[in-house]
Amino acid sequence: MSTPRPVPGLARGIQRVTASALGPYQSAVIRIGFSATFLLFLLRELPHRHEMYGPDAPWRWDLAQQLISGNQAFTVLMWSDSAFWFEMVYALALISSLLLMLGWHTRAVSVLFMAGVLSLQNRSIFMGDGGDNVIHLMSIYLVLTRCGQVWSLDARRARRREAVAEDREETVRRRVPGDADGIVLWVVLGAVLIGATVGGGLGGTVWMPVLLWALWTGQGAWWAVNRYAPRSELRTLLDVIANLAHNATLVVIMAEVCLIYATAGWYKVQGSRWQDGTALYYPLKLEYFTPWPALSGLLASSGIMVMVLSYATVIVQVAFPFTLFNRRVKNVLLAAMICEHAGIALLLGLPFFSMAMIAADAVFLPTAFLMWLGGRASLGRQRLFRGRVFRRRLFRGRGRVPAPRAAGGGDGVEAAESGDGGAPTLVG
């Protein structure tokens, strides 16, 4: 009896899915985009935070407690009704958003970011819109991704450690050594998790405590194996599990984005205003959705433009899920949708909804484009750094007396190097 031979294509696919975390640049853009969106939202609502989620909210703490006892949602704001506790939670949400955007200990900080998002949004569920729902879902998905592989402080720290290992000619590179800040963060989060579990503060659902405990124990196991057995089979197994979770989550995010656009497009098809091409006229005439009345009025005055934009919106949203296997058409529609969300932010005054949707669309951006964008950003940062160094040297050089020109017709560079002990001047 002959044994079946593995299919080469299937074997390569399994190897690719398990051996690496796919889409590192896309996941980094998603991390940066959603954390920046929530950070800017919290900063904008900082003067009104008490009225939205705090003790002065119309949806009072006792009403929220009654609602949460029914839907079993998770929010740490229900642990106490004091204003001090609310300020701590709001500050934690701000700090975790900033740290996640920078990519500092992304595995732990992504959990804090999820806790901040869920706590604030579940406290007053009637305050959100479509963009808040997207952030709500993506904050959960991010904890399962390896979103700090590139464009993060974690990646920068890993590169420096690998460079040190190369300089020392080490045969074994420990990518995650025992850094003190990571250990302290893990211990503190573990203490909070134990207290929340004992006190029943993780909500009434099963998935939330299971997810948090799995993430906490998994992070501890990851650190221990990398520390003491970096080349063992257990280390390989943990890497495969992390890659599978990351890749599966990216597929879920893609499916989520396609579902959002497909349902939105098909519901628009059923509306009479979208069928006759006049749907965009009405929000452009609403005072609440017109931050730039002159611009909105100019666009609404053109019936042809309103009709074209209305039909184009429906066509792009309905057609996008069917173009994923055609790269060129997909990229064209993706650019059209990003421009559409930019127009919504500008014309309808919904910047955070647009930022959330653009961040979600980033999962489909081409890797070559993201690498080019990262290279441009790195080049701009280098030029900015060089400009700062030049200005610093320029200001240091002011007030110095130029060295006398050397006898025999020496040039200014030689004179500058010979004068004042080699101190920097405008010339040298």
Side-chain angles (χ1 to χ4, degrees):
M1 183 176 180
S2 61
T3 58
R5 296 182 179 179
V7 181
L10 180 61
R12 286 195 299 268
I14 295 176
Q15 174 69 18
R16 184 181 181 187
V17 171
T18 57
S20 62
L22 304 178
Y25 293 95
Q26 288 81 357
S27 58
V29 173
I30 293 174
R31 183 199 84 234
I32 296 171
F34 280 102
S35 57
T37 301
F38 196 61
L39 175 64
L40 294 177
F41 173 77
L42 294 179
L43 291 176
R44 190 194 71 171
E45 301 300 337
L46 190 63
H48 315 291
R49 62 190 184 279
H50 290 279
E51 290 78 12
M52 293 188 63
Y53 308 111
D56 300 332
W59 189 253
R60 302 190 309 271
W61 190 84
D62 55 341
L63 295 176
Q65 192 176 33
Q66 295 178 18
L67 179 63
I68 289 173
S69 63
N71 60 19
Q72 305 297 322
F74 167 79
T75 171
V76 300
L77 289 177
M78 291 295 101
W79 294 2
S80 174
D81 61 346
S82 65
F84 176 74
W85 176 247
F86 167 75
E87 296 291 352
M88 286 185 60
V89 174
Y90 200 91
L92 178 64
L94 278 169
I95 295 173
S96 62
S97 301
L98 177 61
L99 294 179
L100 184 62
M101 183 179 65
L102 298 177
W104 183 81
H105 290 284
T106 52
R107 289 193 181 99
V109 173
S110 62
V111 177
L112 295 177
F113 176 75
M114 178 190 68
V117 171
L118 298 184
S119 297
L120 293 176
Q121 292 187 355
N122 290 336
R123 166 62 176 85
S124 300
I125 61 174
F126 303 106
M127 301 295 296
D129 55 12
D132 294 321
N133 294 334
V134 176
I135 296 176
H136 189 107
L137 294 173
M138 294 300 173
S139 66
I140 302 174
Y141 298 153
L142 277 175
V143 301
L144 299 174
T145 62
R146 308 182 74 172
C147 55
Q149 299 178 98
V150 296
W151 298 344
S152 65
L153 295 179
D154 290 346
R156 181 182 181 184
R157 184 170 59 250
R159 289 195 303 269
R160 289 183 175 181
R161 288 171 179 169
E162 290 183 358
V164 171
E166 290 178 356
D167 293 340
R168 295 177 179 176
E169 297 182 354
E170 295 179 357
T171 58
V172 179
R173 298 179 182 178
R174 297 178 178 179
R175 297 184 59 187
V176 187
D179 49 338
D181 52 352
I183 297 175
V184 171
L185 184 61
W186 184 80
V187 172
V188 171
L189 291 179
V192 174
L193 185 58
I194 293 174
T197 304
V198 174
L202 297 180
T205 59
V206 178
W207 68 269
M208 177 59 72
V210 170
L211 175 64
L212 293 178
W213 276 108
L215 291 172
W216 186 75
T217 55
Q219 181 64 18
W222 182 277
W223 177 87
V225 171
N226 278 340
R227 179 69 173 176
Y228 300 106
R231 303 185 66 178
S232 63
E233 294 183 357
L234 183 58
R235 168 67 172 79
T236 304
L237 177 61
L238 291 177
D239 212 6
V240 168
I241 294 174
N243 292 334
L244 286 174
H246 170 90
N247 297 331
T249 305
L250 281 188
V251 173
V252 172
I253 293 175
M254 294 178 183
E256 189 78 34
V257 175
C258 292
L259 184 62
I260 290 173
Y261 285 121
T263 53
W266 286 110
Y267 272 108
K268 286 182 175 67
V269 169
Q270 303 174 32
S272 60
R273 296 293 178 264
W274 291 99
Q275 292 175 5
D276 58 26
T278 61
L280 291 183
Y281 173 83
Y282 299 98
L284 293 175
K285 287 297 183 179
L286 294 176
E287 183 178 357
Y288 183 77
F289 291 105
T290 53
W292 311 98
L295 183 60
S296 300
L298 179 63
L299 181 60
S301 62
S302 175
I304 297 178
M305 184 62 67
V306 170
M307 182 184 66
V308 170
L309 292 178
S310 299
Y311 286 152
T313 300
V314 176
I315 293 173
V316 168
Q317 292 182 352
V318 172
F320 179 74
F322 301 100
T323 63
L324 296 182
F325 299 100
N326 191 315
R327 183 176 302 178
R328 295 181 178 179
V329 179
K330 182 262 296 181
N331 291 338
V332 172
L333 293 185
L334 185 61
M337 286 192 300
I338 293 176
C339 293
E340 173 190 340
H341 290 302
I344 291 175
L346 179 64
L347 295 174
L348 302 183
L350 299 173
F352 300 110
F353 168 77
S354 300
M355 289 179 63
M357 291 307 303
I358 291 175
D361 293 340
V363 72
F364 296 107
L365 287 175
T367 302
F369 170 74
L370 293 177
M371 294 179 65
W372 174 84
L373 194 63
R376 296 290 94 186
S378 178
L379 181 60
R381 183 182 59 185
Q382 292 177 3
R383 290 179 177 177
L384 180 62
F385 176 75
R386 291 174 183 174
R388 289 179 178 177
V389 172
F390 175 76
R391 289 192 296 269
R392 198 174 300 160
R393 292 179 178 177
L394 181 63
F395 287 129
R396 287 178 182 176
R398 288 183 178 179
R400 295 184 182 272
V401 178
R405 185 177 297 272
D411 59 7
V413 175
E414 295 174 351
E417 293 175 348
S418 61
D420 199 13
T425 65
L426 289 177
V427 179

